[in-house]
Each structure stands twice: as C-alpha cells, then as structure tokens.
Amino acid sequence: MYMASDKVTLCCEALIEKNLTLSFAESASAGKMCYEFSTVFNSGKILMGGIICYHNSMKEDLLQIPWGTIEKYSPESAVVTKLMAQNFSRYVQSDICVGLTGLATPGGSESKDKPVGTIFVHIIFPDKEIAERFEFKGNAESIINQAIEAVAEMILNEI
C-alpha cells in the first residue's frame, strides 16, 4: 500500500482540521502532486482535484495564459506559474490553489541561471498569495518529490 510522505500527511491533516480545500495546476509534476495528496486518509474532505498542463498549448488553451506570455518568460517561470494558479483558481472553488512549473529534466528552458532542478511554486490562499523559486538536485523523480515536500511545507507554514 502506498503512503504519502510524513510532511504531505501532516499538511493534509492540518487542512482537514481547518476545513480548507485544495486544488492543483501542475506542469512539471504532471499530476504527481495531486496524487500524493490523494493518498492521505480522508483526503476527499480537502482535495478538490487538479489539472495537468504540461504542454504550452494546454497552458494557453485551458488555463488562458495570454498568447506571447510563455514565449516571453518561458513555460517554466514565476510569471507563468502565477497565472496558472490564478486562472485555475477561477474555475475551482478551493480555499488554496497551488501552481507548479519547473525543470525536472533537460529539454526545457534551462540555462546557467535556471538549471535543471529549478521549480516555481505559486500558492493562492484565501487572503494572500505566496511564491517561491527552488533549485533541487537529483534525478527527475527526486526533484519532483522535493518539490511536493516544499509545497506541503509552504502550506503548513501559512495555515
């Protein structure tokens, strides 16, 4: 039986206790973040669901990222991540909406200043928004797992 990490479990338990709901707009994590949060006991009380917008066309068509924004800032950027979270939160009535993009593997917009392992997170809470940029090390799975842990920590720190 699969079990979520302790941090994800603690985050879910805190959300359940506070009666707060959660949704995800994911790119680099490709649905794994939503899955991780779904494996916690009673997750149905908090988890609204999510959307995976991996390809640029999905970000533009489904999440209505304005044309030219991805070209200007790159798909893996703080600007695009913020717009993903903000635009998805308009469709899903959750208390907290998490947007995540980044570079878990080569072949995206990586550069010297934005290496593989760079992850952008933007979280919308009922009364504020927070954003972080991380640089994780390891293989793709490790980078995504570290990002999920970071999201759980960010939520725990704010609720």
Side-chain angles (χ1 to χ4, degrees), residues 9-103:
T9 300
L10 282 172
C11 182
C12 287
E13 289 170 350
L15 290 168
I16 291 167
E17 183 181 309
K18 294 177 186 292
N19 201 30
L20 295 170
T21 57
L22 182 62
S23 64
F24 299 101
E26 301 183 61
S27 184
S29 50
K32 187 169 187 199
M33 190 162 43
C34 193
Y35 170 75
E36 289 287 324
F37 279 77
S38 78
T39 63
V40 176
F41 180 72
N42 277 330
S43 62
K45 292 181 177 181
I46 59 157
L47 183 58
M48 299 296 289
I51 188 168
I52 301 164
C53 289
Y54 201 80
H55 192 270
N56 292 350
S57 65
M58 296 280 287
K59 291 175 180 77
E60 291 170 339
D61 296 342
L62 288 179
L63 289 180
Q64 299 177 344
I65 305 299
W67 299 108
T69 303
I70 291 173
E71 195 173 305
K72 181 176 181 180
Y73 296 101
S74 89
E76 307 87 14
S77 64
V79 170
V80 169
T81 308
K82 178 180 182 176
L83 289 169
M84 285 173 57
Q86 288 176 338
N87 293 355
F88 189 57
S89 72
R90 292 187 187 118
Y91 296 105
V92 178
Q93 298 303 307
S94 62
D95 298 304
I96 300 166
C97 184
V98 178
L100 185 145
T101 68
L103 298 156

Side-chain angles (χ1 to χ4, degrees), residues 85-153:
Q86 288 176 338
N87 293 355
F88 189 57
S89 72
R90 292 187 187 118
Y91 296 105
V92 178
Q93 298 303 307
S94 62
D95 298 304
I96 300 166
C97 184
V98 178
L100 185 145
T101 68
L103 298 156
T105 61
S109 64
E110 72 268 15
S111 66
K112 185 173 153 281
D113 296 327
K114 188 171 63 171
V116 170
T118 303
I119 299 289
F120 296 93
V121 175
H122 192 94
I123 306 178
I124 299 173
F125 293 92
D127 58 348
K128 67 179 144 189
E129 298 184 24
I130 61 171
E132 290 282 341
R133 177 183 192 230
F134 299 96
E135 283 188 24
F136 299 117
K137 303 285 187 217
N139 63 21
E141 183 177 11
S142 173
I143 289 165
I144 296 307
N145 288 340
Q146 291 172 76
I148 293 167
E149 293 286 300
V151 166
E153 182 78 24

